[in-house]
Amino acid sequence: MEVLYLGIVFLIIIAVLALRHPLHHAILAGLVVIVVLYRIPLGDAAVCTSRVITVWSSFSVLVTFYLITFLQRILEARQQIRLAQQDLNGIFHNRRVNVAGASLFIGLLPSAAAMILCGDIVKSATDGYLEPKEQAFVTTWFRHIPESALPTYTAVLLMLSLSGVELSSFLPGMIVPVLTLALLGYVTYLRRIPKDPGTPVSQSRGMDVIHLFQHLWSLLLILVLILGLGFDVVSAVFIVIIASIVIYRITFAELREMIVSAFEKKMLGNTFLVLVLKEFISYTGVLEQLPELMSGLPLPPYLVFAVLMFAATVISGSTGAIAMGTPLAFAAIPGGMPLMVYLMCITHAASQISPTHVCLVVASDYYHISLGELVRKTIPFSLVFCVLMTVYYQILLMLV
């Protein structure tokens, strides 16, 4: 019954979005329905809500959003993103490469707020060629490709830990899935964009490369601090902001304006509500009931766990699904690298249509579309990817 209640909650959210109400209305409606159906005491509901602020793992998401937006304001004030776009035009002279390459590069940043920077580049390269909901899809789809495989993301690290699979065997197994994700996005949307960026051919690509590093040094430094020196995202972005203020000689008047304008009330508010929704879902304990429900399905064990983790990811995000499903899957099935690659692909595909995925909220806000429009645009791609990866899993079993 508890699982049915959760289905009702998501139907309510979808219905409110379908009526063209803003996302915060839909999430608030879902929260009210959760409290009523699961009979959550108001005191416990208040505790769940407060955890978004009092627990650093949640609150840091909001802090990171603010800091990344602040950094974006600095880069905009000095036209660094626009200049970087010109550098990419000079290096590749290919609008499609600019869109995919920039999105993949920014996807190396393990922060949902990086969607804002990614959106800036994708929008400038695709305006007039793609509709806003198509731009939003391209932004989220390509920006998240690195998240499917890189150990800088919690989902990958958690599954590696729980499965016992070595990173050295997992990464080669993810080459085909990563290429498949890129190809799915390319053949449907990127090839509709003209290759010619409409700018003169570069006279010195070597200088364009140097200039690209000069204009994107802030993002590169964040990556170095996180990947090379082990800084957390908040600390890394804060350090880069301080350096940028000095290097770009941001005046006090500019700084005061940026402090205010970086506080995007709508984006931060929607993100806060999504985090609260995840806390409420965690409180209900409904995820623990999914394995028993799925065990009755007339499917091979690997497909049962694929369906389980897909559903759990859509409901609460990849971290909870992986924490719940990975130990069960590897205990029930001879696992190894093929099983981890398969389950990681399924989880990644599901995360791209999950209403609890903060990045989707940011993208829909950025392009001024509804979350429902973005999810509907993504569902066919996620399902096709799952089918292709099921075939790939069978091939891996024969090869390994």
Side-chain angles (χ1 to χ4, degrees), residues 1-17 23 25-40 273 276-278 280-282 284 286 314-316 355-356:
M1 185 59 72
E2 283 78 5
V3 175
L4 177 61
Y5 287 163
L6 194 61
I8 293 173
V9 170
F10 276 92
L11 285 176
I12 293 294
I13 292 175
I14 292 170
V16 175
L17 290 173
L23 179 63
H25 287 178
I27 300 297
L28 285 172
L31 291 173
V32 171
V33 174
I34 285 181
V35 170
V36 173
L37 292 180
Y38 289 96
R39 299 177 182 177
I40 302 176
L273 289 175
V276 172
L277 178 63
K278 293 179 70 173
F280 275 46
I281 292 173
S282 177
T284 65
V286 69
V314 171
I315 291 169
S316 69
T356 63

Side-chain angles (χ1 to χ4, degrees), residues 79-103 106 117-127 193-200 202 208 211-216 219 366:
Q79 302 184 18
Q80 297 302 292
I81 298 297
R82 183 181 64 79
L83 293 172
Q85 183 75 46
Q86 293 177 0
D87 299 332
L88 287 171
N89 286 339
I91 296 169
F92 300 106
H93 203 66
N94 189 319
R95 192 187 298 265
R96 300 173 187 174
V97 173
N98 292 353
V99 172
S103 300
I106 294 175
L117 300 174
C118 190
D120 286 343
I121 293 178
V122 173
K123 191 174 188 302
S124 65
T126 60
D127 264 346
I193 305 169
K195 291 183 179 181
D196 189 352
T199 57
S202 173
D208 287 328
H211 290 154
L212 181 64
F213 278 96
Q214 289 176 341
H215 298 139
L216 294 182
L219 302 185
Y366 181 89

Side-chain angles (χ1 to χ4, degrees), residues 66-79 116-117 120 250 254 257-264 267:
Y66 178 79
L67 292 178
I68 288 287
T69 306
F70 191 93
L71 178 61
Q72 181 199 24
R73 296 291 187 269
I74 295 176
L75 297 179
E76 286 175 346
R78 297 301 181 264
Q79 302 184 18
I116 304 168
L117 300 174
D120 286 343
I250 304 298
E254 289 178 310
E257 181 181 346
M258 290 174 184
I259 289 173
V260 176
S261 66
F263 191 83
E264 295 272 2
M267 188 179 299

Side-chain angles (χ1 to χ4, degrees), residues 42 45 96 135 173 189 207 247 249 269 303 311 369 376 388:
L42 292 181
R96 300 173 187 174
Q135 292 175 320
Y189 288 114
M207 289 303 299
I247 292 173
R249 299 179 182 178
L303 280 180
I369 64 171
R376 286 195 297 273
L388 293 175

Side-chain angles (χ1 to χ4, degrees), residues 158-367:
L158 183 58
M159 192 178 286
L160 284 170
S161 174
L162 294 174
S163 67
V165 174
E166 295 292 333
L167 180 62
S168 58
S169 63
F170 169 70
L171 286 178
M174 286 301 295
I175 292 175
V176 170
V178 164
L179 292 175
T180 302
L181 288 168
L183 187 62
L184 285 173
Y186 178 84
V187 298
T188 49
Y189 288 114
L190 287 195
R191 70 175 183 175
R192 287 168 46 187
I193 305 169
K195 291 183 179 181
D196 189 352
T199 57
V201 177
S202 173
Q203 300 300 312
S204 175
R205 291 187 175 179
M207 289 303 299
D208 287 328
V209 171
I210 293 173
H211 290 154
L212 181 64
F213 278 96
Q214 289 176 341
H215 298 139
L216 294 182
W217 68 266
S218 54
L219 302 185
L220 291 171
L221 181 55
I222 291 174
L223 287 176
V224 170
L225 291 174
I226 294 172
L227 302 180
L229 300 179
F231 280 70
D232 63 87
V233 177
V234 171
S235 300
V237 177
F238 183 75
I239 290 171
V240 169
I241 285 175
I242 298 301
S244 298
I245 291 173
V246 174
I247 292 173
Y248 293 127
R249 299 179 182 178
I250 304 298
T251 66
F252 179 76
E254 289 178 310
L255 194 60
R256 184 172 54 189
E257 181 181 346
M258 290 174 184
I259 289 173
V260 176
S261 66
F263 191 83
E264 295 272 2
K265 291 183 289 186
K266 181 181 178 182
M267 188 179 299
L268 288 171
N270 284 340
T271 303
F272 174 81
L273 289 175
V274 168
L275 294 173
V276 172
L277 178 63
K278 293 179 70 173
E279 290 290 339
F280 275 46
I281 292 173
S282 177
Y283 175 90
T284 65
V286 69
L287 289 183
E288 285 74 13
Q289 300 180 30
L290 286 179
E292 182 179 355
L293 179 67
M294 297 296 180
S295 63
L297 295 177
L299 297 171
Y302 73 90
L303 280 180
V304 171
F305 283 106
V307 173
L308 168 66
M309 295 189 70
F310 189 94
T313 301
V314 171
I315 291 169
S316 69
S318 58
T319 302
I322 289 170
M324 173 193 66
T326 304
L328 296 174
F330 276 79
I333 307 171
M337 181 270 285
L339 183 59
M340 179 177 172
V341 166
Y342 180 53
L343 294 181
M344 194 70 241
C345 290
I346 296 298
T347 303
H348 177 78
S351 71
Q352 302 311 300
I353 59 174
S354 171
T356 63
H357 189 165
V358 176
C359 292
L360 306 188
V361 176
V362 177
S364 59
D365 281 347
Y366 181 89
Y367 287 103

